[in-house]
Amino acid sequence: MARHGAGTPFLLRLSLLLLLRPGGTLGCASVVVGSPVVPLGSAVAASCTIQSKFCHGLEQGKVQITWMLDNEPVAGSQHRGPGGTEVSNLTLPQFNRTQAKLWCWVEWNGTRQRVGMAEIRAGYPPAKPFNLSCVLNLSDYGLTCQWDPGADSHLPTNAALKCARDPRAHPSHCCRSRAQAVTGCTPQGGHSRCTVPRRLLQLYRQMEIWVSTTNALGTAESEHLCIDPMDVAKLDPPALRSIQSIPFQTDCIALAWEVAPSNAHMELQCELRYRAPEDSAWALVTDIVGQAGSTQRCGFLFGTRYHFQMRCRRSLARGYWSEWSPGRNYTTHEKAPTGKLDAWWSARPAGAGRLREVQLRWKAPRRQEANGRVLGYRVTLSPRRRGRDPPTICNTTHTQCNFSAPAGTRRVYLSAYNAAGESAATEVVLLERKGQPLAGLQAVPGGERSLWVRWEAPPVPPVTYVLEWQRVPSEPEGCSVCWQMEHDGAATAALIRDGIEPFQRYNISVYPLYKDTAGAPAHTAAYSKQKAPSYAPKLHLKSISKSDAELCWDPVPVEMQNGFITSYTIFWANSTAEVSSTAVNPSLSSFVIRELKPSTLYKVHIMASTAAGGTNGTSLTLVTTVLDDIEIQFLFLTLGLTFVLLILLLICFQKNGRVKQQFWPSVPDPANSSLGKWVPAELQQEPLQVPGVREPGLATISTVTVLERAAGKQPPTRGKEPATEPTGSLPALAQPYVRQEGPGTPDRGWAAAKTRQGPGGSGETVQYARVVGDGYKGQQHVRPRLYLRSSSTQPLLLDPSPSPKAYENLWFHGADPHGCLGDGGCPEDLPATFPLLQGLRISGAEELHD
């Protein structure tokens, strides 16, 4: 049951498709429109009728009718009609389509089906044809007519060429009322031309011809044309038979022709045209009457090649001209050149050889003066006279010549020659260029290939002007220096065209020529047309610092400028897209960008500009430095000076004892002193006998104290012994001595003193040694002290501080390292390696022994 229920809608749709289709076997629906073709923009009415009794399955259900115009739904009104029909009416108030299909749809039980369709077309009535013209072809005598159909009507339109002829009418009149119209021809393939056959034409009598066009909305006719078909006949072109020069009159020619055979019975009017290859327009000769024959024409140039053509028409009808005949060429006779040649020169002063180098340039003679093909040019230093020819210094086919002339040469003579002879010589005066120059000169474009040159006239009017111009850079194929002469001395402007190209620079000079001298030239430069440069220069980094960058570039070559460079614009931007720019004078090739940020990346490019536009160059990336060069140099200089000062200070400290003494005081080393290395004379002669330590008869020296006294400081006294002696009682030189103290002296040793000269010139005694001797072991009595004076005059110590033990520097020690006071209450062991102490021990032993 489920499968059966699912297939029911499909069967219903299939039945509607078969029974309600347009033109179905039952014909249950019909669509009717008021008119299938309507004027564009008018209203359209239509109706759709459904006959339910003929549509099985729709008898009991409700039928809904809808409309579709092509693919767009439109709304209609539905009502029940007679006989159980359903009717829907539709009105389109404005039909703006040239063609559309109107569909009628039926909706029943949710299913839509098209049941009827009507096609509607819209357009305009046919337009009136115009410009009707006809031509009679004499080869088959068919009359071909063509016309302009006018505006498109958007509807199928039929056109026909109508013609009417009345045998009873006057040959020169048309009578439309009594004419019988026939269709002459019908155009094919949508063309607007057709040909009326000969059988429908009436020659040498007037006929009425017009065009009729028809479509579903109406009919239109062109203006009626009343013509004699022979009046619109187009003749076959004539044929040129011969062309030749008339003897003794070489500027005139005689031309013979004949007409086509189909035109032999007609009176003709012909025209002749001719031109030389250099001419842009034809020269026309009119009013040549006759069926055939010849004609003469004068005024032709000598030695010139001409091209001739001819055409004809009926002389009375003033109808159509025939086509131009095939061309024929002819070259006239030559004649010796005539007229004067325009010449210009430049010369260099005479050198050591007294010859003057001259460059002579001239213009080729004009065509009307050349009288043929020029074979060459001749330059002489004197004019040609009867009976003899002057020596030739230049004979060339070119329009310039370089030659050497004597220093006093003021005139040369120039002539041209062809196959018929030589022209009269043109005198060229080699004027010195010492005249007044032009006051002002300017050049402006006269077009893409021309320049207007304007100047201010000098106070004295010149005879003529010479204009020179040269392309920059010069072109090998073109003229190295182009020039022209302006023979009107009152002129203040001239147009130059020879060799002028757009986007190229030209240097222009103007020379005023006076009667006896030539003026100094005025110069200018110009472009006939400008555009943006072909490329911009490439930037180079010349130098850079933390805030400045100097850029340089090569100027754009002249051939790539395409105009005058008005400025160079430099753009630079950092990583934060801060863009700056400046315009630079085009005469400069370098620029310094200032106020940059230190240690920053920039992108720089340059734009070259002319009056017509600019071109950007490639980008240059640069990074500013942290320090300037001067700052870097100053930093290195400072470091270098600091290093040098340090070295100098070290050297000074090393070499200068006073400075060294201030920073590193010198501590005497007894082991390296002269006293430490001194040996008494007795020891040098006798071998040193050191008694044993335990020998009871030897005295023991227990203490040797070395003192140094500072200036102005008194040595400490021991007991009642005076510390110093008057300086006046001391001998001038220290002598060795041994002095023994009495029993009453409390000291146990002996001391030595030296006289020292103080800063004030007074001597002071410095005690530098004391020998303390003890008795034998176990002996209690006080032994007399023995003083020994050394023969050395070098003070050992200047301070009473005790000698350092084991060579230790105790300069800054205020007390004895063992806790004993400076005068030595504590006995200390003496090193037995000092020779002096050994000598002292021996000498002291002798004294004690005695």
Side-chain angles (χ1 to χ4, degrees):
M1 291 298 293
R3 292 173 58 91
H4 178 72
T8 301
F10 173 76
L11 296 176
L12 179 59
R13 293 191 185 112
L14 182 59
S15 62
L16 286 174
L17 180 63
L18 295 175
L19 298 179
L20 302 181
R21 59 188 177 90
T25 56
L26 298 181
C28 64
S30 63
V31 178
V32 179
V33 295
S35 175
V37 179
V38 296
L40 193 63
S42 62
V44 174
S47 65
C48 180
T49 303
I50 303 297
Q51 298 183 10
S52 301
K53 63 180 180 180
F54 295 113
C55 299
H56 298 287
L58 298 180
E59 298 88 348
Q60 304 300 326
K62 181 175 177 57
V63 177
Q64 183 179 358
I65 302 174
T66 58
W67 296 89
M68 294 283 289
L69 184 63
D70 285 338
N71 294 324
E72 297 180 6
V74 291
S77 61
Q78 182 177 345
H79 63 278
R80 180 172 291 276
T85 61
E86 290 290 335
V87 179
S88 177
N89 295 324
L90 173 67
T91 299
L92 300 176
Q94 192 173 14
F95 190 77
N96 292 323
R97 307 186 185 189
T98 59
Q99 185 175 359
K101 292 181 178 181
L102 185 62
W103 297 90
C104 177
W105 292 73
V106 172
E107 291 188 11
W108 181 71
N109 290 340
T111 303
R112 299 179 68 238
Q113 173 64 40
R114 293 184 296 186
V115 296
M117 183 270 293
E119 187 172 0
I120 305 173
R121 302 195 65 160
Y124 302 104
K128 180 180 179 179
F130 58 97
N131 287 342
L132 175 63
S133 62
C134 300
V135 175
L136 181 66
N137 189 355
L138 295 180
S139 60
D140 59 357
Y141 285 91
L143 184 67
T144 301
C145 298
Q146 61 182 7
W147 62 90
D148 193 331
D152 186 11
S153 65
H154 303 293
L155 296 174
T157 302
N158 297 321
L161 183 64
K162 302 289 185 176
C163 58
R165 58 181 181 174
D166 187 359
R168 297 172 296 176
H170 192 272
S172 59
H173 294 85
C174 285
C175 184
R176 183 177 300 181
S177 60
R178 290 182 289 177
Q180 183 179 359
V182 296
T183 300
C185 59
T186 301
Q188 303 295 326
H191 295 94
S192 57
R193 61 180 299 170
C194 64
T195 301
V196 180
R198 172 66 181 85
R199 58 184 177 82
L200 298 178
L201 298 179
Q202 184 175 330
L203 302 181
Y204 299 104
R205 287 184 177 272
Q206 296 291 323
M207 294 185 62
E208 190 176 2
I209 300 174
W210 70 96
V211 178
S212 176
T213 56
T214 305
N215 65 14
L217 298 180
T219 301
E221 289 184 355
S222 68
E223 295 291 338
H224 289 227
L225 184 63
C226 290
I227 58 171
D228 179 357
M230 291 301 297
D231 291 342
V232 294
K234 186 172 184 178
L235 307 182
D236 294 331
L240 295 176
R241 292 304 178 192
S242 64
I243 304 174
Q244 59 183 357
S245 297
I246 299 176
F248 312 110
Q249 295 179 356
T250 54
D251 62 337
C252 297
I253 63 168
L255 185 144
W257 82 93
E258 63 180 15
V259 298
S262 59
N263 308 333
H265 59 285
M266 301 179 185
E267 292 292 331
L268 302 178
Q269 178 186 1
C270 299
E271 290 180 345
L272 175 69
R273 70 176 184 179
Y274 61 90
R275 69 175 179 181
E278 298 84 4
D279 296 334
S280 58
W282 294 86
L284 189 63
V285 181
T286 60
D287 297 331
I288 301 175
V289 180
Q291 293 185 347
S294 63
T295 184
Q296 294 183 2
R297 179 68 179 176
C298 297
F300 293 94
L301 299 178
F302 295 100
T304 304
R305 180 175 174 267
Y306 289 96
H307 184 74
F308 295 88
Q309 284 183 314
M310 198 173 189
R311 67 178 181 178
C312 298
R313 69 177 179 180
R314 288 183 64 195
S315 59
L316 299 178
R318 302 294 180 183
Y320 296 104
W321 289 100
S322 69
E323 299 293 338
W324 288 104
S325 67
R328 190 179 181 92
N329 297 323
Y330 181 75
T331 302
T332 57
H333 290 196
E334 288 190 355
K335 183 182 178 180
T338 58
K340 299 292 184 179
L341 298 176
D342 289 339
W344 178 235
W345 73 95
S346 60
R348 288 185 296 178
R354 307 300 297 169
L355 292 178
R356 188 181 187 186
E357 297 295 330
V358 180
Q359 183 186 55
L360 184 64
R361 291 172 288 172
W362 57 89
K363 293 290 185 182
R366 293 181 291 272
R367 194 166 47 130
Q368 57 269 27
E369 297 175 350
N371 297 332
R373 187 171 68 88
V374 175
L375 300 178
Y377 303 91
R378 184 176 289 110
V379 181
T380 61
L381 294 178
S382 60
R384 186 173 64 249
R385 294 182 175 87
R386 293 183 180 180
R388 66 184 182 90
D389 291 333
T392 300
I393 59 174
C394 188
N395 190 352
T396 179
T397 58
H398 303 290
T399 55
Q400 71 174 28
C401 178
N402 298 329
F403 58 89
S404 299
T409 302
R410 296 295 305 274
R411 290 174 173 82
V412 294
Y413 298 88
L414 173 66
S415 60
Y417 58 90
N418 60 15
E422 187 172 353
S423 68
T426 299
E427 184 182 55
V428 181
V429 181
L430 305 180
L431 300 174
E432 295 184 1
R433 299 179 180 178
K434 297 181 179 179
Q436 295 181 351
L438 297 178
L441 179 65
Q442 63 176 348
V444 296
E448 287 193 4
R449 300 183 182 275
S450 61
L451 288 169
W452 273 107
V453 183
R454 297 186 175 91
W455 59 88
E456 296 179 11
V460 179
V463 178
T464 186
Y465 294 96
V466 176
L467 289 83
E468 282 186 351
W469 63 95
Q470 182 178 17
R471 180 171 170 177
V472 183
S474 60
E475 191 177 32
E477 287 111 9
C479 55
S480 58
V481 178
C482 301
W483 64 280
Q484 72 181 37
M485 299 190 76
E486 185 65 35
H487 293 280
D488 184 5
T492 58
L495 183 66
I496 57 177
R497 296 189 180 92
D498 189 14
I500 302 298
E501 297 289 339
F503 318 124
Q504 301 297 326
R505 181 184 296 183
Y506 293 90
N507 290 336
I508 302 171
S509 304
V510 178
Y511 298 79
L513 300 185
Y514 302 96
K515 183 177 181 180
D516 298 324
T517 185
H523 306 282
T524 188
Y527 284 85
S528 62
K529 187 178 182 181
Q530 300 187 55
K531 67 177 181 179
S534 298
Y535 71 91
K538 184 178 181 181
L539 287 175
H540 302 280
L541 181 61
K542 192 172 183 180
S543 64
I544 191 169
S545 63
K546 71 174 184 179
S547 61
D548 300 336
E550 184 177 4
L551 306 173
C552 62
W553 59 88
D554 296 328
V556 180
V558 174
E559 61 270 19
M560 297 296 179
Q561 291 183 5
N562 301 328
F564 293 109
I565 300 295
T566 56
S567 67
Y568 292 110
T569 305
I570 298 177
F571 300 87
W572 64 93
N574 56 18
S575 57
T576 60
E578 296 179 4
V579 181
S580 302
S581 65
T582 185
V584 182
N585 192 292
S587 61
L588 301 178
S589 60
S590 63
F591 180 74
V592 178
I593 304 176
R594 304 189 184 277
E595 299 182 359
L596 299 178
K597 297 179 181 179
S599 186
T600 304
L601 184 143
Y602 288 90
K603 288 187 177 295
V604 187
H605 74 272
I606 188 171
M607 180 178 71
S609 302
T610 65
T615 301
N616 288 322
T618 57
S619 179
L620 174 66
T621 301
L622 53 90
V623 180
T624 54
T625 59
V626 179
L627 298 175
D628 287 335
D629 292 340
I630 297 178
E631 295 176 346
I632 295 175
Q633 294 174 4
F634 181 77
L635 178 61
F636 278 104
L637 181 60
T638 303
L639 294 176
L641 290 176
T642 304
F643 181 74
V644 171
L645 289 175
L646 290 175
I647 296 299
L648 291 177
L649 288 175
L650 291 176
I651 294 175
C652 290
F653 291 156
Q654 183 70 22
K655 297 297 183 181
N656 194 332
R658 181 176 299 176
V659 176
K660 183 177 179 181
Q661 184 69 24
Q662 293 295 329
F663 289 93
W664 297 284
S666 177
V667 178
D669 186 359
N672 295 322
S673 65
S674 59
L675 184 59
K677 297 178 181 179
W678 173 74
V679 178
E682 293 92 353
L683 296 181
Q684 295 179 3
Q685 297 176 1
E686 298 178 3
L688 181 62
Q689 298 293 333
V690 181
V693 178
R694 297 183 180 182
E695 187 175 353
L698 296 179
T700 302
I701 297 175
S702 61
T703 304
V704 175
T705 304
V706 180
L707 302 177
E708 178 180 355
R709 178 181 177 181
K713 194 174 182 180
Q714 298 293 335
T717 60
R718 295 186 179 273
K720 296 178 181 181
E721 181 184 1
T724 61
E725 295 180 3
T727 57
S729 62
L730 293 176
L733 295 175
Q735 299 294 329
Y737 69 93
V738 176
R739 183 166 64 92
Q740 183 174 1
E741 292 184 357
T745 57
D747 292 337
R748 297 176 297 163
W750 55 273
K754 178 185 176 184
T755 302
R756 178 181 177 186
Q757 195 75 15
S762 61
E764 37 180 304
T765 303
V766 178
Q767 180 178 351
Y768 64 87
R770 185 180 62 187
V771 178
V772 180
D774 292 335
Y776 290 103
K777 186 176 181 180
Q779 194 175 8
Q780 300 296 329
H781 64 274
V782 178
R783 298 288 296 172
R785 297 187 176 180
L786 182 65
Y787 287 87
L788 176 65
R789 186 182 181 102
S790 171
S791 62
S792 172
T793 63
Q794 176 180 357
L796 284 177
L797 297 172
L798 299 178
D799 194 276
S801 301
S803 290
K805 185 179 181 179
Y807 312 110
E808 181 181 2
N809 187 354
L810 298 179
W811 175 260
F812 299 102
H813 291 205
D816 185 79
H818 296 286
C820 301
L821 294 176
D823 220 19
C826 302
E828 49 186 58
D829 297 332
L830 296 175
T833 58
F834 286 175
L836 174 59
L837 299 184
Q838 294 177 5
L840 291 177
R841 178 181 295 177
I842 296 173
S843 297
E846 292 175 355
E847 287 287 339
L848 294 176
H849 199 16
D850 293 338

